[in-house]
Amino acid sequence: MSAIYILWLRELKRYTRSRVQLVASLGQPMLYLLVLGFGLGPVFKRAGNGSYLQFVAPGVIGMTILFSSVFSGLGLLWDRQFGFLKETLVAPVSRLQIMIGRTLGGATVAILQGLLVAVICFLAGFRPVNLALAPLAIVFMVLIAIVFAALGVAIGSSLQDMQGFQLIMNFLVLPIYFLSGALFPLDGLGKILSLVTSLDPLSYGVDGMRAVLLNLTHFGAAIDVIVLAIVGSILLVIGAWRFSKIEI
Amino acid sequence: MIRVQNLVKSFGNFTAVNDVSFDVAAGEIFAFLGPNGAGKTTTIKMLTTLLRPNSGAIELDGLNPETHQNEARKRFGIVFQDPSLDGELSAWENMEIHGVLYHVPGKIRHKRAEELLKIFELWERRNDQVKKFSGGMKRRLEIARGFLHTPRILFLDEPTLGLDPQSRNQLWSHVKKVNESERVTVFLTTHYMDEADRVAHRVGIIDHGKLVTVGTPKAIKEQTGTESLEEAFLALTGSTIRDESAGSADQMRQFARMWSGGRR
Ligand SMILES: Nc1ncnc2c1ncn2[C@@H]1O[C@H](COP(=O)(O)OP(=O)(O)O)[C@@H](O)[C@H]1O
Ligand SMILES: [Mg+2]
């Protein structure tokens, strides 16, 4: 247990210590929120869908958590490069505990980022329709964070060096973001697009947040929770398995 | 305490460790010597659960590190050849993480961390981020950290690389101390033959992945008819300079051969 705790704490310390990274990582969601929220607002309204800022805010929160948690999972590659990974891999602690400590740490950092962005959304004018239900959004933030932190660890354990990093970001993480319904409604899409979006775990995370924040849902909040929990469990198992196979 | 039989490790079709066998007794200090790229680090990685051998058998305190990873890991401590610190964290935090991962109780952990940081002259800088340390300081921290818990077997992979003579002296006197007072078995590699001659009870010399000889420094000198371990080492391994990455050089050669279509 103490091993999980100390590795979790390490992720938090690394995050809070690099202020530059903290600020930089908030820049991107703010850009999306402001440019899309205010830029696309009029078009969205004309199409009869209400306020785009309201609509896109949960998507931007979901994006923040997605990027942050995959990024921290891939932090494995840094630790491999700078050597710290060895130090943890030879310690008399099961690899499962090490993997859990890292994953929870990465997920916690992602949730904190998501909460920060939620505050920014609120300052920009975002208002949940039912304040009493708003805390439930945190449940979905936690689920999203765990799903993608586990995915990051699974991928990070399978790559040998940092060269694969850009590839993963461009060909996996960005598509997950764009195909998730973070930016557009999932209702009334064509057959193929609606199939693809329903295979994207982030769709369920964002949909769940919209359900509790905006009372607006495509799959239904119960389905969202179930899908995220199942996908999260599967990815945790795969991540733990890949992590246990690492050789240096 | 350590038993290695017919150990083999290949990367692609390059064999880094080729049919190596040796034993290290409990309480012994064993120096594993060899030119760059001889296969020392690869052997240590297999002994410490970081790499799986292709074939051969390993026993650490009677345990197979492949099948009983966790039990085996409880038996040893290691100072790596390459850096393994977290640069974002302070020296103290690096010690803390190590102590927690190795289940050293809080009070003992803090007391020993303080002692060790003082011995290796890092105490004043304990709250600084490690990335701001000089190479020598980082190396000293790696060593101090390695002594934080008391393992049955201590692996030291070129621990004195980049250390000044003062720190080297501290290191070896500390190694001798834990070996004598706590009967820690020590498995070390170094390029300084005089160090090996001074601290090691027995020496194994490896070259091109093959174990050339094993014996006491005295026996090896007698066997080669030389005055110092350094001369004996050169007599046994030749005086050509080794390329650290013989493996990739071989690959390049093979690649070149492929391109030239076997005309050469
Ligand atoms: N992961 C690896 N992939 C390919 N070749 C490797 C790898 N690790 C080590 N080697 C090669 O194996 C040989 C032995 O390396 P090493 O054990 O580090 O030597 P030493 O520690 O004795 O200097 C070297 O030629 C090195 O290039
Ligand atoms: Mg080496």
Side-chain angles (χ1 to χ4, degrees), chain B residues 140-196:
Chain B
R140 283 182 345 242
L141 179 57
E142 300 245 8
I143 290 165
R145 190 181 65 177
F147 287 111
L148 189 57
H149 70 293
T150 314
R152 306 278 287 279
I153 308 170
L154 182 60
F155 291 98
L156 301 167
D157 198 357
E158 297 192 32
T160 49
L161 197 75
L163 283 190
D164 56 22
Q166 286 85 347
S167 319
R168 243 186 271 167
N169 215 19
Q170 282 290 4
L171 165 68
W172 293 126
S173 59
H174 212 79
V175 167
K176 278 194 168 158
K177 198 177 104 191
V178 295
N179 173 257
E180 276 157 26
S181 64
E182 324 206 19
R183 276 188 55 83
V184 174
T185 306
V186 181
F187 185 98
L188 65 94
T189 76
T190 175
H191 284 305
Y192 300 98
M193 297 301 141
D194 55 316
E195 287 179 349

Side-chain angles (χ1 to χ4, degrees), chain B residues 183-237:
Chain B
R183 276 188 55 83
V184 174
T185 306
V186 181
F187 185 98
L188 65 94
T189 76
T190 175
H191 284 305
Y192 300 98
M193 297 301 141
D194 55 316
E195 287 179 349
D197 204 353
R198 238 175 323 122
V199 288
H201 303 136
R202 278 193 315 139
V203 167
I205 294 181
I206 183 173
D207 194 14
H208 297 300
K210 284 210 171 276
L211 200 61
V212 183
T213 185
V214 183
T216 61
K218 189 159 166 281
I220 291 178
K221 280 180 269 186
E222 275 166 13
Q223 173 199 336
T224 51
T226 48
E227 293 291 308
S228 69
L229 194 57
E230 177 128 8
E231 289 170 51
F233 180 81
L234 290 173
L236 288 165
T237 60

Side-chain angles (χ1 to χ4, degrees), chain A residues 31-50:
Chain A
L31 204 68
Y32 273 101
L33 188 71
L34 299 179
V35 173
L36 294 181
F38 292 112
L40 289 181
V43 185
F44 201 69
K45 197 167 241 157
R46 239 174 286 142
N49 283 316

Side-chain angles (χ1 to χ4, degrees), chain A residues 61-62 64-70 72-73 102-114 138-153 202 205 209 228 232 235-236:
Chain A
I61 296 171
T64 309
I65 300 174
L66 164 73
F67 277 74
S68 175
S69 48
V70 173
S72 74
R102 294 189 69 108
T103 310
L104 289 183
T108 306
V109 167
I111 293 163
L112 288 177
Q113 293 243 117
I138 296 176
V139 172
F140 289 99
M141 294 168 72
V142 170
L143 287 169
I144 299 174
I146 290 179
V147 165
F148 292 108
L151 179 69
V153 169
L202 187 60
M209 279 198 284
L228 288 170
L235 286 174
L236 279 172

Side-chain angles (χ1 to χ4, degrees), chain A residues 172-201:
Chain A
L172 188 71
V173 179
L174 278 181
I176 286 178
Y177 170 46
F178 285 120
L179 294 171
S180 69
L183 301 176
F184 50 83
L186 293 177
D187 302 312
L189 298 175
K191 262 218 182 83
I192 293 177
L193 199 55
S194 89
L195 176 72
V196 174
T197 51
S198 69
L199 291 176
D200 182 342

